[in-house]
Amino acid sequence: MFQRIFLVFVLIILLVSNPAKGQRDNFDYVNPSPPGGRIQIGLITDLNSEVLRYTFENATTIINAELTTQLEARHAEIDYGNSMQGVERLCRMMEEGVGAVFGPSALTTGQHLMNVCDSKDLPYILSYMSDSNEGFNLHPHPADIAQALHAVISAFEWSRYIFLYQNAAYLSILDALMSIYGSSGPFISVVRYDLNLNGNFKSVLRRVRKSVDSRLVVVGSSESVAEVLKQAQQVGIMNEDYTYIIGNLDFHTFDLEEYKYSDANITGFRMFSAQKPEVQNLMREMGYLQKLTDDERFNDGDTIDSSNIDPDDEETQERIRQKEIDNEVIRNGSCPITMEMALLYDAVIAFAETTKHIQYMPQPLDCKLDADNVQEDGSTFKNYMRSLDFDRNTLTGRIIFDGPRRKGYALDVIELQSTGLVKVGVWEENKNFTFERPPQQRQVTALDDNSMVNKTYVVLISVPNPPYASLVESHKKLHGNNMYQGYGVDLIKELADILGFNFTLKNGGSNYGSFNKTTNTTTGMLKRIVDGEADLAITDLTITSEREEVVDFTIPFMNTGIAILYLKPQKSEPTTFSFMDPFSKQVWKYLGIAFLSVSLCFFILGRLSPTEWDNPYPCIEEPEELENQFTINNSLWFTTGAFLQQGSEIAPKALSTRTVAAIWCFFTLIIVSSYTANLAAFLTIENPTKVLENVKDLSENKGGVQYGAKKNGATRNFFATSAEPIYIKMHEYMSNHQEFLTESNQEGVDRVTNSDTKGGNTYAFLMESTSIEYNTVRNCKLQKVGDPLDEKGYGIAMKKNWPYRDKFNNALLELQEQGVLAKLKKKWWNEMGASVCTSGSDSGVVNPLAVNNLEGIYYVLIVGSGMSIVYGVTCWIFHVIKKAHSYEVSIRAAFWEEIKAVVDVTNNERVLKGAASVYSRSRNSSLESIDSFATDSDKDESSSSSSSAEASDAEENE
């Protein structure tokens, strides 16, 4: 409704202004021929006007060669989004008698112009994505783009992804996708990337990086989608973890050079290829593709002789045409022909095709509001145009209309690889889509005088020597390079793809070769390279200074070092005293010391504390003697009962002895709990017996282990030339025991595997750590012992001063940067034939608890016992002083009396009424009552106690 009101408003303005018909502001006449026998077609542009005008002109010129009624192209340029200016230019064209109008890219402007054309029955053709059902639109409908996206997403088997769109105009694709999925489909996170309308999408892309989804479908305008990819790389989501599907059909025009080696999977669509002849012709006419001379076509070192080119030789001409495309068209992985240009070209072709079948002579039309004239043959022309079905001379393929929507076309599914965009499939409506990826080709370096392209070299490998090279197991008889597989075979294939050479693999045997400076002779593979029988040798060939005197090496493609291959530790046989394993010997020793020390504390504190002296006869109120329960035997028994958590009939009474008992019980709780826990681990996990820990143990033949290495190789030479005493000793051992040396690494591995561990006749093999790693993941009986003894690398051997050494080095660096070397190692070490063995450390080993694990509880025991002893001695001293004052004897005499009673360890009874006692010879000659003697915590008697009561007590005691 708004559009029609706006249209009426524009027509009123035009009616009022009513400029002269001869006025031609901003109009360009491409062919100023008289209109007789010609049909004028008008182009209105608002963006990219120059290239669209050239495309429009070239399409008209090309198609006029086939037409009897020529087409005359007219062009008008307007400001983007200026609908009033667009309607004004349209009316000028209609007054000149145009037969069709090709509209601008702005959606609102195009909608207004379409309404004007519909009102005058004038064909209106547009070439941008729209879900409108009016006019002729050669661009695929959003619903069809959604079907193509659905086909690729289904092929990828995505269960969830992010739908990244520019604005609401592209939500029609999402609506169509949701209609296809119905009630069941993947989890889709819908995110708009152009939130601020300022071209900065990084804040949204950072949210994408933090999300759990790494698969994205991106739809939007060509400029914004290209910027999304650029900013995605800047925020760190353009790597191997992310996969992109681009829903913009101009993907082939993007500058993708920066993303070729990002390892991100980027997939898109295109309606045409740069290799199509019609596309090439358009590029030549527009200056994108230079017409090279015969000599210029091959000035980069191609093997074709330009002086002998036969113009009738179709194969040669095809190579020339392909070379023009490769050298001139695809710049940084992009093509200059956009979808807008291609669809405009095809729109002219479609209009011209209709004029071949129906007579159409358009008449000038009046744009006045009260004018009711329409194009007489307009409806007939449009109806016939909707019935077209052809693909000749088109850039974007077959053109057929279903109403206003285009159908019948196919979309190439393209994928970005290191060589550029590669076609991996074709999507067509109502047909099943499958990926048809061709073998990935690497970009061959530019040809020069030192080129390796199409040259063949002999490459030596060592067979069998897995994982570097081995024979392919097959029921068919294989020949040539197909007979071999392995890391080295794959590596030379990768290098051949980059450098463009061919190669022939030959078995060079197990002798890699060495150089004897004395005799100036070489052996093994090195000799064959020096003699010219082979060009390269690729295997686990170590780079050494000795070998580099006769051959050259590339940079290392793998780093390694000499290590020890040995059997995994065997489970030890249980011993008689295996119950003592949970604690170390030192812990057991300290535990015995603690046991005796605490028992002694009980004995001493028991004799010092008055509270521990009890009346042995409870029925006698005034006993003549007292008895102490903490004898040596009882102290040991009490400590033992507490340690075994069983208790005893002895119960401490004094505060000092109770404190020691509490500390000892706490100590035993921790000790027993720790012992129980570690014992359970020892019973469930048996500790293996390790014979070898490092190279020192091996050199000393610890446990009777014999050892050796490969007879001829860098490992043996390492010990022969080393100045380290331990390695000299090992060299002498191996020299004196030639029977322990092997002809190949595999023989050494087999010898280790078949060692007799029970008989003590075990064997260790010295070899490169990478080979050990390969064998340990395949044989669970084997392990690597110790750290590598040295650091070295494997390189590709070649002739001395070979001119292609730098090319190989650069190619190896490229493979390393792209992660190809790491992938190859993972493939042949951890995937091909690997078992469930792990290369980690012995996680099941249980170690006995040492003193440092339990030292804390020992500190608690020592401090607690010490405090108890100090407290007990202090109470005893106060008791003696109190008793001396009570009996009015000297403190010295009282101390001497009490000390004699304490140190008399053979007697656990104390006589209270003895004539020899210092207390009997005192002036009062009285003894303390049992109550006053029985405690060390009683305070002095009250000052109100009478002396007569004390005298009577003394008489009774006497």
mmCIF file with all atom_site columns, all heavy atoms in Angstrom, residues 867-888:
data_model
loop_
_atom_site.group_PDB
_atom_site.id
_atom_site.type_symbol
_atom_site.label_atom_id
_atom_site.label_alt_id
_atom_site.label_comp_id
_atom_site.label_asym_id
_atom_site.label_entity_id
_atom_site.label_seq_id
_atom_site.pdbx_PDB_ins_code
_atom_site.Cartn_x
_atom_site.Cartn_y
_atom_site.Cartn_z
_atom_site.occupancy
_atom_site.B_iso_or_equiv
_atom_site.pdbx_formal_charge
_atom_site.auth_seq_id
_atom_site.auth_comp_id
_atom_site.auth_asym_id
_atom_site.auth_atom_id
_atom_site.pdbx_PDB_model_num
ATOM 1   N N   . MET A 1 867 ? 55.769 -32.569 76.765  1.00 0.00 ? 867 MET A N   1
ATOM 2   C CA  . MET A 1 867 ? 54.974 -31.703 77.637  1.00 0.00 ? 867 MET A CA  1
ATOM 3   C C   . MET A 1 867 ? 54.466 -32.498 78.845  1.00 0.00 ? 867 MET A C   1
ATOM 4   O O   . MET A 1 867 ? 54.417 -31.976 79.972  1.00 0.00 ? 867 MET A O   1
ATOM 5   C CB  . MET A 1 867 ? 53.806 -31.108 76.850  1.00 0.00 ? 867 MET A CB  1
ATOM 6   C CG  . MET A 1 867 ? 54.227 -30.105 75.784  1.00 0.00 ? 867 MET A CG  1
ATOM 7   S SD  . MET A 1 867 ? 52.834 -29.489 74.827  1.00 0.00 ? 867 MET A SD  1
ATOM 8   C CE  . MET A 1 867 ? 51.865 -28.713 76.116  1.00 0.00 ? 867 MET A CE  1
ATOM 9   N N   . SER A 1 868 ? 54.065 -33.751 78.618  1.00 0.00 ? 868 SER A N   1
ATOM 10  C CA  . SER A 1 868 ? 53.577 -34.571 79.731  1.00 0.00 ? 868 SER A CA  1
ATOM 11  C C   . SER A 1 868 ? 54.687 -34.829 80.746  1.00 0.00 ? 868 SER A C   1
ATOM 12  O O   . SER A 1 868 ? 54.464 -34.789 81.970  1.00 0.00 ? 868 SER A O   1
ATOM 13  C CB  . SER A 1 868 ? 53.033 -35.895 79.197  1.00 0.00 ? 868 SER A CB  1
ATOM 14  O OG  . SER A 1 868 ? 51.954 -35.674 78.324  1.00 0.00 ? 868 SER A OG  1
ATOM 15  N N   . ILE A 1 869 ? 55.893 -35.092 80.270  1.00 0.00 ? 869 ILE A N   1
ATOM 16  C CA  . ILE A 1 869 ? 57.017 -35.335 81.189  1.00 0.00 ? 869 ILE A CA  1
ATOM 17  C C   . ILE A 1 869 ? 57.327 -34.082 82.003  1.00 0.00 ? 869 ILE A C   1
ATOM 18  O O   . ILE A 1 869 ? 57.537 -34.142 83.231  1.00 0.00 ? 869 ILE A O   1
ATOM 19  C CB  . ILE A 1 869 ? 58.244 -35.800 80.386  1.00 0.00 ? 869 ILE A CB  1
ATOM 20  C CG1 . ILE A 1 869 ? 57.990 -37.201 79.816  1.00 0.00 ? 869 ILE A CG1 1
ATOM 21  C CG2 . ILE A 1 869 ? 59.492 -35.806 81.267  1.00 0.00 ? 869 ILE A CG2 1
ATOM 22  C CD1 . ILE A 1 869 ? 59.099 -37.698 78.915  1.00 0.00 ? 869 ILE A CD1 1
ATOM 23  N N   . VAL A 1 870 ? 57.342 -32.934 81.321  1.00 0.00 ? 870 VAL A N   1
ATOM 24  C CA  . VAL A 1 870 ? 57.614 -31.675 82.052  1.00 0.00 ? 870 VAL A CA  1
ATOM 25  C C   . VAL A 1 870 ? 56.550 -31.433 83.105  1.00 0.00 ? 870 VAL A C   1
ATOM 26  O O   . VAL A 1 870 ? 56.847 -31.061 84.262  1.00 0.00 ? 870 VAL A O   1
ATOM 27  C CB  . VAL A 1 870 ? 57.689 -30.507 81.056  1.00 0.00 ? 870 VAL A CB  1
ATOM 28  C CG1 . VAL A 1 870 ? 57.745 -29.175 81.802  1.00 0.00 ? 870 VAL A CG1 1
ATOM 29  C CG2 . VAL A 1 870 ? 58.895 -30.661 80.154  1.00 0.00 ? 870 VAL A CG2 1
ATOM 30  N N   . TYR A 1 871 ? 55.304 -31.665 82.738  1.00 0.00 ? 871 TYR A N   1
ATOM 31  C CA  . TYR A 1 871 ? 54.215 -31.455 83.694  1.00 0.00 ? 871 TYR A CA  1
ATOM 32  C C   . TYR A 1 871 ? 54.323 -32.437 84.855  1.00 0.00 ? 871 TYR A C   1
ATOM 33  O O   . TYR A 1 871 ? 54.164 -32.080 86.035  1.00 0.00 ? 871 TYR A O   1
ATOM 34  C CB  . TYR A 1 871 ? 52.874 -31.608 82.997  1.00 0.00 ? 871 TYR A CB  1
ATOM 35  C CG  . TYR A 1 871 ? 51.693 -31.504 83.934  1.00 0.00 ? 871 TYR A CG  1
ATOM 36  C CD1 . TYR A 1 871 ? 51.262 -30.272 84.405  1.00 0.00 ? 871 TYR A CD1 1
ATOM 37  C CD2 . TYR A 1 871 ? 51.025 -32.662 84.357  1.00 0.00 ? 871 TYR A CD2 1
ATOM 38  C CE1 . TYR A 1 871 ? 50.186 -30.180 85.272  1.00 0.00 ? 871 TYR A CE1 1
ATOM 39  C CE2 . TYR A 1 871 ? 49.964 -32.579 85.226  1.00 0.00 ? 871 TYR A CE2 1
ATOM 40  C CZ  . TYR A 1 871 ? 49.535 -31.326 85.681  1.00 0.00 ? 871 TYR A CZ  1
ATOM 41  O OH  . TYR A 1 871 ? 48.484 -31.238 86.545  1.00 0.00 ? 871 TYR A OH  1
ATOM 42  N N   . GLY A 1 872 ? 54.621 -33.710 84.578  1.00 0.00 ? 872 GLY A N   1
ATOM 43  C CA  . GLY A 1 872 ? 54.726 -34.710 85.638  1.00 0.00 ? 872 GLY A CA  1
ATOM 44  C C   . GLY A 1 872 ? 55.858 -34.410 86.605  1.00 0.00 ? 872 GLY A C   1
ATOM 45  O O   . GLY A 1 872 ? 55.700 -34.537 87.834  1.00 0.00 ? 872 GLY A O   1
ATOM 46  N N   . VAL A 1 873 ? 57.027 -34.016 86.077  1.00 0.00 ? 873 VAL A N   1
ATOM 47  C CA  . VAL A 1 873 ? 58.166 -33.692 86.943  1.00 0.00 ? 873 VAL A CA  1
ATOM 48  C C   . VAL A 1 873 ? 57.852 -32.477 87.803  1.00 0.00 ? 873 VAL A C   1
ATOM 49  O O   . VAL A 1 873 ? 58.179 -32.427 89.006  1.00 0.00 ? 873 VAL A O   1
ATOM 50  C CB  . VAL A 1 873 ? 59.426 -33.484 86.086  1.00 0.00 ? 873 VAL A CB  1
ATOM 51  C CG1 . VAL A 1 873 ? 60.574 -32.939 86.946  1.00 0.00 ? 873 VAL A CG1 1
ATOM 52  C CG2 . VAL A 1 873 ? 59.837 -34.789 85.411  1.00 0.00 ? 873 VAL A CG2 1
ATOM 53  N N   . THR A 1 874 ? 57.198 -31.487 87.181  1.00 0.00 ? 874 THR A N   1
ATOM 54  C CA  . THR A 1 874 ? 56.853 -30.269 87.929  1.00 0.00 ? 874 THR A CA  1
ATOM 55  C C   . THR A 1 874 ? 55.902 -30.597 89.082  1.00 0.00 ? 874 THR A C   1
ATOM 56  O O   . THR A 1 874 ? 56.090 -30.138 90.239  1.00 0.00 ? 874 THR A O   1
ATOM 57  C CB  . THR A 1 874 ? 56.213 -29.228 87.003  1.00 0.00 ? 874 THR A CB  1
ATOM 58  O OG1 . THR A 1 874 ? 57.132 -28.942 85.935  1.00 0.00 ? 874 THR A OG1 1
ATOM 59  C CG2 . THR A 1 874 ? 55.896 -27.955 87.758  1.00 0.00 ? 874 THR A CG2 1
ATOM 60  N N   . CYS A 1 875 ? 54.895 -31.379 88.851  1.00 0.00 ? 875 CYS A N   1
ATOM 61  C CA  . CYS A 1 875 ? 53.950 -31.754 89.909  1.00 0.00 ? 875 CYS A CA  1
ATOM 62  C C   . CYS A 1 875 ? 54.656 -32.555 91.017  1.00 0.00 ? 875 CYS A C   1
ATOM 63  O O   . CYS A 1 875 ? 54.363 -32.399 92.217  1.00 0.00 ? 875 CYS A O   1
ATOM 64  C CB  . CYS A 1 875 ? 52.793 -32.567 89.320  1.00 0.00 ? 875 CYS A CB  1
ATOM 65  S SG  . CYS A 1 875 ? 51.693 -31.599 88.267  1.00 0.00 ? 875 CYS A SG  1
ATOM 66  N N   . TRP A 1 876 ? 55.587 -33.387 90.612  1.00 0.00 ? 876 TRP A N   1
ATOM 67  C CA  . TRP A 1 876 ? 56.328 -34.192 91.602  1.00 0.00 ? 876 TRP A CA  1
ATOM 68  C C   . TRP A 1 876 ? 57.179 -33.298 92.498  1.00 0.00 ? 876 TRP A C   1
ATOM 69  O O   . TRP A 1 876 ? 57.250 -33.484 93.700  1.00 0.00 ? 876 TRP A O   1
ATOM 70  C CB  . TRP A 1 876 ? 57.190 -35.209 90.858  1.00 0.00 ? 876 TRP A CB  1
ATOM 71  C CG  . TRP A 1 876 ? 58.049 -36.049 91.763  1.00 0.00 ? 876 TRP A CG  1
ATOM 72  C CD1 . TRP A 1 876 ? 57.651 -37.073 92.554  1.00 0.00 ? 876 TRP A CD1 1
ATOM 73  C CD2 . TRP A 1 876 ? 59.452 -35.872 91.981  1.00 0.00 ? 876 TRP A CD2 1
ATOM 74  N NE1 . TRP A 1 876 ? 58.709 -37.586 93.253  1.00 0.00 ? 876 TRP A NE1 1
ATOM 75  C CE2 . TRP A 1 876 ? 59.845 -36.854 92.911  1.00 0.00 ? 876 TRP A CE2 1
ATOM 76  C CE3 . TRP A 1 876 ? 60.409 -34.993 91.479  1.00 0.00 ? 876 TRP A CE3 1
ATOM 77  C CZ2 . TRP A 1 876 ? 61.166 -36.978 93.343  1.00 0.00 ? 876 TRP A CZ2 1
ATOM 78  C CZ3 . TRP A 1 876 ? 61.712 -35.123 91.908  1.00 0.00 ? 876 TRP A CZ3 1
ATOM 79  C CH2 . TRP A 1 876 ? 62.085 -36.097 92.835  1.00 0.00 ? 876 TRP A CH2 1
ATOM 80  N N   . ILE A 1 877 ? 57.808 -32.291 91.922  1.00 0.00 ? 877 ILE A N   1
ATOM 81  C CA  . ILE A 1 877 ? 58.630 -31.365 92.708  1.00 0.00 ? 877 ILE A CA  1
ATOM 82  C C   . ILE A 1 877 ? 57.771 -30.621 93.728  1.00 0.00 ? 877 ILE A C   1
ATOM 83  O O   . ILE A 1 877 ? 58.124 -30.502 94.911  1.00 0.00 ? 877 ILE A O   1
ATOM 84  C CB  . ILE A 1 877 ? 59.365 -30.387 91.779  1.00 0.00 ? 877 ILE A CB  1
ATOM 85  C CG1 . ILE A 1 877 ? 60.430 -31.140 90.962  1.00 0.00 ? 877 ILE A CG1 1
ATOM 86  C CG2 . ILE A 1 877 ? 60.019 -29.261 92.574  1.00 0.00 ? 877 ILE A CG2 1
ATOM 87  C CD1 . ILE A 1 877 ? 61.095 -30.286 89.900  1.00 0.00 ? 877 ILE A CD1 1
ATOM 88  N N   . PHE A 1 878 ? 56.622 -30.113 93.277  1.00 0.00 ? 878 PHE A N   1
ATOM 89  C CA  . PHE A 1 878 ? 55.747 -29.409 94.217  1.00 0.00 ? 878 PHE A CA  1
ATOM 90  C C   . PHE A 1 878 ? 55.248 -30.356 95.313  1.00 0.00 ? 878 PHE A C   1
ATOM 91  O O   . PHE A 1 878 ? 55.093 -29.965 96.476  1.00 0.00 ? 878 PHE A O   1
ATOM 92  C CB  . PHE A 1 878 ? 54.553 -28.781 93.465  1.00 0.00 ? 878 PHE A CB  1
ATOM 93  C CG  . PHE A 1 878 ? 54.895 -27.475 92.816  1.00 0.00 ? 878 PHE A CG  1
ATOM 94  C CD1 . PHE A 1 878 ? 55.041 -27.370 91.438  1.00 0.00 ? 878 PHE A CD1 1
ATOM 95  C CD2 . PHE A 1 878 ? 55.069 -26.333 93.592  1.00 0.00 ? 878 PHE A CD2 1
ATOM 96  C CE1 . PHE A 1 878 ? 55.350 -26.173 90.842  1.00 0.00 ? 878 PHE A CE1 1
ATOM 97  C CE2 . PHE A 1 878 ? 55.366 -25.125 92.996  1.00 0.00 ? 878 PHE A CE2 1
ATOM 98  C CZ  . PHE A 1 878 ? 55.520 -25.039 91.616  1.00 0.00 ? 878 PHE A CZ  1
ATOM 99  N N   . HIS A 1 879 ? 55.003 -31.586 94.955  1.00 0.00 ? 879 HIS A N   1
ATOM 100 C CA  . HIS A 1 879 ? 54.548 -32.559 95.951  1.00 0.00 ? 879 HIS A CA  1
ATOM 101 C C   . HIS A 1 879 ? 55.622 -32.813 97.010  1.00 0.00 ? 879 HIS A C   1
ATOM 102 O O   . HIS A 1 879 ? 55.332 -32.879 98.222  1.00 0.00 ? 879 HIS A O   1
ATOM 103 C CB  . HIS A 1 879 ? 54.173 -33.874 95.266  1.00 0.00 ? 879 HIS A CB  1
ATOM 104 C CG  . HIS A 1 879 ? 53.928 -34.997 96.214  1.00 0.00 ? 879 HIS A CG  1
ATOM 105 N ND1 . HIS A 1 879 ? 52.814 -35.067 97.026  1.00 0.00 ? 879 HIS A ND1 1
ATOM 106 C CD2 . HIS A 1 879 ? 54.674 -36.114 96.516  1.00 0.00 ? 879 HIS A CD2 1
ATOM 107 C CE1 . HIS A 1 879 ? 52.862 -36.149 97.770  1.00 0.00 ? 879 HIS A CE1 1
ATOM 108 N NE2 . HIS A 1 879 ? 53.999 -36.808 97.477  1.00 0.00 ? 879 HIS A NE2 1
ATOM 109 N N   . VAL A 1 880 ? 56.864 -32.927 96.587  1.00 0.00 ? 880 VAL A N   1
ATOM 110 C CA  . VAL A 1 880 ? 57.955 -33.153 97.543  1.00 0.00 ? 880 VAL A CA  1
ATOM 111 C C   . VAL A 1 880 ? 58.111 -31.953 98.470  1.00 0.00 ? 880 VAL A C   1
ATOM 112 O O   . VAL A 1 880 ? 58.286 -32.094 99.700  1.00 0.00 ? 880 VAL A O   1
ATOM 113 C CB  . VAL A 1 880 ? 59.260 -33.451 96.789  1.00 0.00 ? 880 VAL A CB  1
ATOM 114 C CG1 . VAL A 1 880 ? 60.449 -33.508 97.773  1.00 0.00 ? 880 VAL A CG1 1
ATOM 115 C CG2 . VAL A 1 880 ? 59.140 -34.764 96.025  1.00 0.00 ? 880 VAL A CG2 1
ATOM 116 N N   . ILE A 1 881 ? 58.065 -30.751 97.929  1.00 0.00 ? 881 ILE A N   1
ATOM 117 C CA  . ILE A 1 881 ? 58.196 -29.536 98.750  1.00 0.00 ? 881 ILE A CA  1
ATOM 118 C C   . ILE A 1 881 ? 57.056 -29.473 99.752  1.00 0.00 ? 881 ILE A C   1
ATOM 119 O O   . ILE A 1 881 ? 57.254 -29.167 100.951 1.00 0.00 ? 881 ILE A O   1
ATOM 120 C CB  . ILE A 1 881 ? 58.227 -28.295 97.871  1.00 0.00 ? 881 ILE A CB  1
ATOM 121 C CG1 . ILE A 1 881 ? 59.486 -28.300 96.983  1.00 0.00 ? 881 ILE A CG1 1
ATOM 122 C CG2 . ILE A 1 881 ? 58.173 -27.028 98.713  1.00 0.00 ? 881 ILE A CG2 1
ATOM 123 C CD1 . ILE A 1 881 ? 59.521 -27.182 95.968  1.00 0.00 ? 881 ILE A CD1 1
ATOM 124 N N   . LYS A 1 882 ? 55.865 -29.769 99.322  1.00 0.00 ? 882 LYS A N   1
ATOM 125 C CA  . LYS A 1 882 ? 54.701 -29.738 100.207 1.00 0.00 ? 882 LYS A CA  1
ATOM 126 C C   . LYS A 1 882 ? 54.848 -30.765 101.326 1.00 0.00 ? 882 LYS A C   1
ATOM 127 O O   . LYS A 1 882 ? 54.562 -30.511 102.500 1.00 0.00 ? 882 LYS A O   1
ATOM 128 C CB  . LYS A 1 882 ? 53.442 -30.019 99.375  1.00 0.00 ? 882 LYS A CB  1
ATOM 129 C CG  . LYS A 1 882 ? 52.181 -30.144 100.212 1.00 0.00 ? 882 LYS A CG  1
ATOM 130 C CD  . LYS A 1 882 ? 51.011 -30.499 99.304  1.00 0.00 ? 882 LYS A CD  1
ATOM 131 C CE  . LYS A 1 882 ? 49.783 -30.753 100.143 1.00 0.00 ? 882 LYS A CE  1
ATOM 132 N NZ  . LYS A 1 882 ? 48.636 -31.174 99.320  1.00 0.00 ? 882 LYS A NZ  1
ATOM 133 N N   . LYS A 1 883 ? 55.345 -31.929 100.943 1.00 0.00 ? 883 LYS A N   1
ATOM 134 C CA  . LYS A 1 883 ? 55.490 -32.992 101.936 1.00 0.00 ? 883 LYS A CA  1
ATOM 135 C C   . LYS A 1 883 ? 56.595 -32.647 102.947 1.00 0.00 ? 883 LYS A C   1
ATOM 136 O O   . LYS A 1 883 ? 56.496 -32.942 104.141 1.00 0.00 ? 883 LYS A O   1
ATOM 137 C CB  . LYS A 1 883 ? 55.804 -34.309 101.224 1.00 0.00 ? 883 LYS A CB  1
ATOM 138 C CG  . LYS A 1 883 ? 55.600 -35.541 102.079 1.00 0.00 ? 883 LYS A CG  1
ATOM 139 C CD  . LYS A 1 883 ? 55.705 -36.781 101.219 1.00 0.00 ? 883 LYS A CD  1
ATOM 140 C CE  . LYS A 1 883 ? 55.449 -38.008 102.069 1.00 0.00 ? 883 LYS A CE  1
ATOM 141 N NZ  . LYS A 1 883 ? 55.554 -39.246 101.255 1.00 0.00 ? 883 LYS A NZ  1
ATOM 142 N N   . ALA A 1 884 ? 57.659 -32.001 102.506 1.00 0.00 ? 884 ALA A N   1
ATOM 143 C CA  . ALA A 1 884 ? 58.741 -31.593 103.416 1.00 0.00 ? 884 ALA A CA  1
ATOM 144 C C   . ALA A 1 884 ? 58.246 -30.587 104.439 1.00 0.00 ? 884 ALA A C   1
ATOM 145 O O   . ALA A 1 884 ? 58.584 -30.654 105.627 1.00 0.00 ? 884 ALA A O   1
ATOM 146 C CB  . ALA A 1 884 ? 59.896 -31.026 102.598 1.00 0.00 ? 884 ALA A CB  1
ATOM 147 N N   . HIS A 1 885 ? 57.426 -29.635 103.982 1.00 0.00 ? 885 HIS A N   1
ATOM 148 C CA  . HIS A 1 885 ? 56.859 -28.660 104.915 1.00 0.00 ? 885 HIS A CA  1
ATOM 149 C C   . HIS A 1 885 ? 55.896 -29.343 105.887 1.00 0.00 ? 885 HIS A C   1
ATOM 150 O O   . HIS A 1 885 ? 55.821 -28.967 107.062 1.00 0.00 ? 885 HIS A O   1
ATOM 151 C CB  . HIS A 1 885 ? 56.129 -27.560 104.133 1.00 0.00 ? 885 HIS A CB  1
ATOM 152 C CG  . HIS A 1 885 ? 57.066 -26.586 103.481 1.00 0.00 ? 885 HIS A CG  1
ATOM 153 N ND1 . HIS A 1 885 ? 57.956 -25.798 104.184 1.00 0.00 ? 885 HIS A ND1 1
ATOM 154 C CD2 . HIS A 1 885 ? 57.256 -26.283 102.166 1.00 0.00 ? 885 HIS A CD2 1
ATOM 155 C CE1 . HIS A 1 885 ? 58.647 -25.037 103.353 1.00 0.00 ? 885 HIS A CE1 1
ATOM 156 N NE2 . HIS A 1 885 ? 58.237 -25.332 102.100 1.00 0.00 ? 885 HIS A NE2 1
ATOM 157 N N   . SER A 1 886 ? 55.157 -30.325 105.395 1.00 0.00 ? 886 SER A N   1
ATOM 158 C CA  . SER A 1 886 ? 54.170 -30.981 106.246 1.00 0.00 ? 886 SER A CA  1
ATOM 159 C C   . SER A 1 886 ? 54.855 -31.748 107.366 1.00 0.00 ? 886 SER A C   1
ATOM 160 O O   . SER A 1 886 ? 54.393 -31.752 108.516 1.00 0.00 ? 886 SER A O   1
ATOM 161 C CB  . SER A 1 886 ? 53.292 -31.898 105.400 1.00 0.00 ? 886 SER A CB  1
ATOM 162 O OG  . SER A 1 886 ? 52.412 -32.621 106.202 1.00 0.00 ? 886 SER A OG  1
ATOM 163 N N   . TYR A 1 887 ? 55.945 -32.443 107.055 1.00 0.00 ? 887 TYR A N   1
ATOM 164 C CA  . TYR A 1 887 ? 56.644 -33.238 108.064 1.00 0.00 ? 887 TYR A CA  1
ATOM 165 C C   . TYR A 1 887 ? 57.797 -32.481 108.729 1.00 0.00 ? 887 TYR A C   1
ATOM 166 O O   . TYR A 1 887 ? 58.525 -33.048 109.521 1.00 0.00 ? 887 TYR A O   1
ATOM 167 C CB  . TYR A 1 887 ? 57.171 -34.527 107.434 1.00 0.00 ? 887 TYR A CB  1
ATOM 168 C CG  . TYR A 1 887 ? 56.095 -35.545 107.168 1.00 0.00 ? 887 TYR A CG  1
ATOM 169 C CD1 . TYR A 1 887 ? 55.470 -35.617 105.932 1.00 0.00 ? 887 TYR A CD1 1
ATOM 170 C CD2 . TYR A 1 887 ? 55.703 -36.417 108.187 1.00 0.00 ? 887 TYR A CD2 1
ATOM 171 C CE1 . TYR A 1 887 ? 54.479 -36.544 105.693 1.00 0.00 ? 887 TYR A CE1 1
ATOM 172 C CE2 . TYR A 1 887 ? 54.709 -37.352 107.938 1.00 0.00 ? 887 TYR A CE2 1
ATOM 173 C CZ  . TYR A 1 887 ? 54.095 -37.430 106.708 1.00 0.00 ? 887 TYR A CZ  1
ATOM 174 O OH  . TYR A 1 887 ? 53.122 -38.345 106.445 1.00 0.00 ? 887 TYR A OH  1
ATOM 175 N N   . GLU A 1 888 ? 57.943 -31.235 108.356 1.00 0.00 ? 888 GLU A N   1
ATOM 176 C CA  . GLU A 1 888 ? 58.957 -30.369 108.913 1.00 0.00 ? 888 GLU A CA  1
ATOM 177 C C   . GLU A 1 888 ? 60.335 -31.007 108.801 1.00 0.00 ? 888 GLU A C   1
ATOM 178 O O   . GLU A 1 888 ? 61.108 -31.116 109.765 1.00 0.00 ? 888 GLU A O   1
ATOM 179 C CB  . GLU A 1 888 ? 58.654 -30.035 110.391 1.00 0.00 ? 888 GLU A CB  1
ATOM 180 C CG  . GLU A 1 888 ? 57.349 -29.273 110.554 1.00 0.00 ? 888 GLU A CG  1
ATOM 181 C CD  . GLU A 1 888 ? 57.086 -28.911 112.007 1.00 0.00 ? 888 GLU A CD  1
ATOM 182 O OE1 . GLU A 1 888 ? 57.869 -29.322 112.876 1.00 0.00 ? 888 GLU A OE1 1
ATOM 183 O OE2 . GLU A 1 888 ? 56.102 -28.203 112.230 1.00 0.00 ? 888 GLU A OE2 1
#
